[in-house]
Amino acid sequence: MKVLVCGAKGFIGENISRALKQAGHEVIAGISARHAGALPNSVVVDYAKDTTPQAWLPRLDNVDAVINAVGVLRTSRNRPIDAVHQHAPIALWDACALANIKKVIQISALGSETSETQYARTKRAADHYLMGLADSGKINHTILRPSIVFGKGGASSGLFMNLARLPLLLLPKPVLHARVQPVSVLNLAEAVVALLGPALVQQGIISCTGAEPVLMSDFIASLRQQCGKNPARVLPLPDSLSILSARLGDLAPGIPWCTETMTMLATNNEDSCADFEALIGHTPMHYGELVSKAWNI
């Protein structure tokens, strides 16, 4: 198939593109202007401005499937989160319906249905619009909602690995006690390839999680153990300092730590992996294997 991958230079999009090529598909890389020329067979997309179907239709000529793997953790002037997560994807969905695209896959996020962070609200809005088009018979879709996606090159993965190397782990208590179910980016890419199989089955929403949930503190401890290090000392950051650090992060758009990030990390992010396991055809990677199988590759 000829597949347009939006966000092809991002962590998740790059892994999906590689898996699709290995499976024999032709990938058209949707990339931002700053990556122009970095990939062959690519189209430049401005996710802040391409918010009408007419902006997307020329990019869909002879395309069979579209995958949206674009995401930003927090808003910025050049990449406003409302446009990137909601308005541009909605325009893309409308264009896909007009162009009779065979399959649309949206990479969303586990927990987006209930969280009230800006990240979750904008992802949810795009998901629901796509579901509405599917309900009216205009599009064949699947929404993948992964937990924390782990792998080489991921910004959050790098953060967790850096935390795992510290002899003292100091994080807000709600973050330490949150339950997560990290999923390998390689398994997530497998799922996308499976969805573009001959049947093109409409799957609806699929939670993409690892084999077992774990407390955030235990997850970081496991990463440390997998790196061959002795256990670290773990201390909860006092609430007042947690709030202060997050508010200071709010004032520095270039760093990942902010109030919304703290809120997301302090929220349980787990679900059954049964549907995901059935899709990829085997048990998803366990968090205890992530360093050797998803990081050291």
Side-chain angles (χ1 to χ4, degrees), residues 71-90:
V72 292
L73 184 60
R74 53 188 300 188
T75 196
S76 66
R77 185 176 63 178
N78 294 329
R79 305 191 79 191
I81 199 168
D82 286 345
V84 173
H85 282 183
Q86 180 177 348
H87 304 311
I90 284 175

Side-chain angles (χ1 to χ4, degrees), residues 16-36:
I16 287 173
S17 298
R18 185 183 304 112
L20 288 171
K21 291 175 184 177
Q22 290 172 348
H25 298 289
E26 178 186 354
V27 172
I28 307 299
I31 57 177
S32 60
R34 72 180 186 275
H35 293 134

